[in-house]
Each structure stands twice: as C-alpha cells, then as structure tokens.
Amino acid sequence: MATLLQVLPALERGGVERGTVDLARFLKRAGHRPLVASAGGGLVAELEADGITHLALPLASKNPLTIWQNAARLGELMRRHRVELVHARSRAPAWSARIACRRAGTPFVTTVHAVYGGYDYRLKRRYNAVMASGDRVIAISDYVAEHVCEVYGIGPEVLRTIYRGVEVGEFDPGSVSPERIAKLQAQFQVPPGRQVVLLPGRITRIKGHLLVAEAVARIARDDFVVLFVGPDTPGSSYSAELHAKIQALGLAERVRLVGGTGDMAAALVLADLVLAPSIGPEAFGRVSVEAQAMGKPVIAADIGGLGETLLPATTGWLVPPGNAAALADAMDLALAMPAEARARMGEQARAWVREHFTAERMCRQTLAVYAELLGARA
C-alpha cells in the first residue's frame, strides 16, 4: 500500500476535478491510501463520503509568496501523512508540489491538461514549464504530448499519454430513466417531433456556437432544433453577439440557448446528434467521448485533441475547423440517416469508448505510471 497525494487548485465540478475524484476512488479500491489537496469546492463532500482525506490548502493562488508558503505547508503534510508520491494537475499547485518533493526526495508526477498559452514569452514559458518537470509527465492526448515534446523537450523516457476517461456506468443510456428525459424535455421546451442536435459546453467563442448558427442557416430541412446546453455569462459580449446572430439569420425557432444542466447523461439521451465544433484547439474532447458512450453520433472539428476521440464515418464525422459549409453538410447527412444506420453507429461508438476512454482504463494506466517510480509499492 502506498500513500499517494493529488494536488489541484480546487475541487469544483469540471473534467480535471472529476478525473481526480475518479482516480482517488480507484486507488482506494486498489488498496492504496489516496489523499487530495486543494482549496476546496463542491466535490469535497463526495470525496469524504468515500472515506478519502481532503487537505485544505490555498492552492488556487498564483501569488508567488503563497506558492512558496504552500510548498512549506505541503512539505509538512507530506511528512505527517508519509506521502510517497505527489501528482500535480495544475501549474500553481505544481510549483508548490515540485519544491516540496525536491526537498523531500519524493517522486513527482504531473498531468498536462491543456496547451498553455503564452509559451513564446520567457516568463510565461517558465511558469508553464513546471508541468513538464515531473519525474513522469502525463499528457491527456497525443496532441498535448506532441506540444510538450516540442516546446519543452520532454522525451519518451518521461512522457506518457493517458486519455481522459468517463464513467461508463454513469454514461450508459440504459441507466437514464424516462422521468429524467421527460424532465429535460420540459425544461428545454423541445418541440414535439423534432430531432435534437446538442452542443454541450459553456457559452464561449472557442466552442463554435456562431459557426453552428451559420451552418444551420445553410440547411434546408427544418425537422430539427439545435440546443446550446451550457452555462452563460449574463451580459457577456459574446453572448450578445450570439443572440444577435441567431436573430439576424432568422433561426430563433431552430437554434436556442437553454442554459446548463446537472444531468448531462439525460441531455445526451435526448439528443439525436451531438456537436463538438470548436474553432480553436482543444486538448482533448470530453463532450465527444461522453456522447459516444451514450451511443450518439458526433460531429467534431478536426483540431487539437478532438480528432483523436472518434472514428470518422464509423462513430461520427470530422470536419475542418471553422468551415460552416462542411459542418452543414455533415449535419444534413447525419440527420438524414435511417434509424437502423444511426443505431449501428451508436453501438460502434459505445464499443470505441469502452475500449479507449473509460475512467477505469485511465486509472489503471495512471497507477502503472506510479509503479514506474515506486516499484512494487504501487
């Protein structure tokens, strides 16, 4: 049994945070003693309900003085709990953890969850470089791994690619009750008899909402509705621009912003087609994977790590980023698919996710990385 500490800024709801919780639970089931340090958040209660210790530290702070103070605090916690390995998932906590680990001679692992901007600037590049300074460096996609290798010179002896995973028990169409689906239909005010096209994700420019509106305007058929499902920032300039675009194109009945949901699995069951049309590089493509886990075909932009998440013409379609005409053609093709063909694509998508993108697989591969540094203890 090994005592293994993960550090991250906070434990609010998000992909990085969910992966942290999934790994902590897996480590406990495997007989280890997982610890998580963060500034706290909504997932702390979930961790503690499973008997996993959370250590509260102000790790979200980027203040250099706080980072140094956190290094001392982490060092003390590592001694008290006899931590044998530390795994950092974000830059500010990674600096504190790196200092503490170097002082204690403790193995240090990082996971690079993004291609961080500003690496052309010396100070920013130096700040970002901590994520490439682990004894092992995990990248969440080949796209991220290539970036880390190119920018920071990390070689294959240190670098490992481990895709993020989803809980296939949670993202299983058979686990979603009709009541949950009916509740969302009412909440989203889905018109009867319409196919549903879903774009999950926060309302930000990179997610491609404007591009989708342009694509919908090119499609002649009117038997579908597009739902933008995700939190919006009231008063944001992008949100205002998006609303204006929808009105200008006469799409108010075909494209709608419906807000966020705490039940994404049910939202995906409701969908006939899921979009991931990002206009800028994504490190991975969690939406694409979750949708395929639910047996839904996906149209994704072939950019960043998104292209690694599906099998073109088998589980979905890849389109050139920023190309409204190509997106419209793919949407038209998908919406015209016979039910049998769509069901077959859905089964292939579920099999693809079960083979490559489960939380169990992610956790087992991460534990194998720990074992490289700890030997038989992991």
Side-chain angles (χ1 to χ4, degrees):
M1 180 183 81
T3 301
L4 306 164
L5 171 64
Q6 297 181 80
V7 297
L8 70 166
L11 269 176
E12 301 298 348
R13 298 187 183 277
V16 175
E17 295 81 359
R18 174 51 56 192
T20 301
V21 173
D22 288 344
L23 179 59
R25 286 171 168 165
F26 173 86
L27 293 173
K28 185 173 182 182
R29 291 196 305 270
H32 297 290
R33 184 176 176 235
L35 307 173
V36 176
S38 82
L43 291 178
V44 171
E46 193 173 318
L47 261 186
E48 293 180 339
D50 288 329
I52 296 167
T53 300
H54 175 262
L55 307 170
L57 288 178
L59 292 172
S61 175
K62 297 179 181 179
N63 182 296
L65 177 59
T66 304
I67 287 173
W68 277 101
Q69 291 171 334
N70 282 338
R73 293 165 180 149
L74 275 175
E76 173 57 29
L77 289 172
M78 288 163 60
R79 286 189 293 274
R80 186 189 314 163
H81 293 278
R82 298 182 180 180
V83 171
E84 295 166 71
L85 179 145
V86 179
H87 183 171
R89 294 178 173 274
S90 188
R91 289 167 291 179
W95 275 107
S96 300
R98 181 178 183 272
I99 295 166
C101 286
R102 294 297 181 260
R103 289 171 177 169
T106 302
F108 177 54
V109 175
T110 60
T111 292
V112 186
H113 288 275
V115 172
Y116 303 110
Y119 52 83
D120 291 331
Y121 299 94
R122 185 175 62 84
L123 289 178
K124 188 72 173 203
R125 181 188 178 109
R126 174 61 180 152
Y127 178 67
N128 296 345
V130 69
M131 299 307 295
S133 70
D135 300 304
R136 292 294 183 273
V137 176
I138 298 170
I140 65 168
S141 65
D142 287 337
Y143 165 69
V144 171
E146 289 168 8
H147 170 80
V148 170
C149 181
E150 178 182 344
V151 174
Y152 302 106
I154 302 302
E157 69 283 359
V158 170
L159 188 59
R160 304 287 182 270
T161 298
I162 300 177
Y163 288 124
R164 289 165 69 177
V166 300
E167 283 287 355
V168 291
E170 177 186 356
F171 288 92
D172 178 351
S175 70
V176 180
S177 68
E179 291 77 15
R180 287 166 62 186
I181 301 169
K183 181 180 178 180
L184 279 187
Q185 280 180 316
Q187 178 185 330
F188 295 162
Q189 299 180 4
V190 178
R194 298 273 194 96
Q195 296 190 78
V196 174
V197 180
L198 211 67
L199 196 171
R202 66 192 186 280
I203 307 300
T204 57
R205 192 173 299 275
I206 193 175
K207 297 299 182 182
H209 304 88
L210 289 169
L211 182 73
V212 172
E214 293 172 9
V216 172
R218 293 170 174 265
I219 300 174
R221 64 189 307 137
D222 60 359
D223 62 342
F224 69 98
V225 61
V226 176
L227 304 180
F228 295 156
V229 179
D232 194 1
T233 303
S236 77
S237 59
Y238 176 68
S239 179
E241 182 183 355
L242 179 57
H243 280 282
K245 183 80 164 183
I246 291 169
Q247 292 297 325
L249 292 174
L251 300 176
E253 298 300 317
R254 301 171 69 190
V255 178
R256 293 167 40 206
L257 285 76
V258 297
T261 177
D263 194 354
M264 185 53 68
L268 290 168
V269 171
L270 188 61
D272 296 284
L273 175 66
V274 178
L275 305 179
S278 298
I279 60 172
E282 299 269 10
F284 185 59
R286 190 175 185 89
V287 163
S288 171
V289 172
E290 289 177 351
Q292 291 175 85
M294 300 301 285
K296 303 299 177 177
V298 174
I299 300 174
D302 192 5
I303 188 169
L306 267 174
E308 300 173 44
T309 63
L310 61 78
L311 288 173
T314 301
T315 69
W317 299 267
L318 291 176
V319 296
N323 190 321
L327 178 58
D329 288 345
M331 290 175 64
D332 204 17
L333 174 64
L335 292 168
M337 286 181 68
E340 289 183 2
R342 186 176 295 170
R344 186 164 56 250
M345 179 172 276
E347 284 305 309
Q348 292 169 326
R350 282 173 52 74
W352 165 250
V353 170
R354 287 194 298 269
E355 184 177 355
H356 296 283
F357 300 109
T358 66
E360 177 83 8
R361 185 175 192 269
M362 173 190 72
C363 293
R364 288 192 180 282
Q365 290 181 323
T366 303
L367 184 56
V369 171
Y370 294 174
E372 293 176 20
L373 300 172
L374 296 176
R377 287 174 292 165

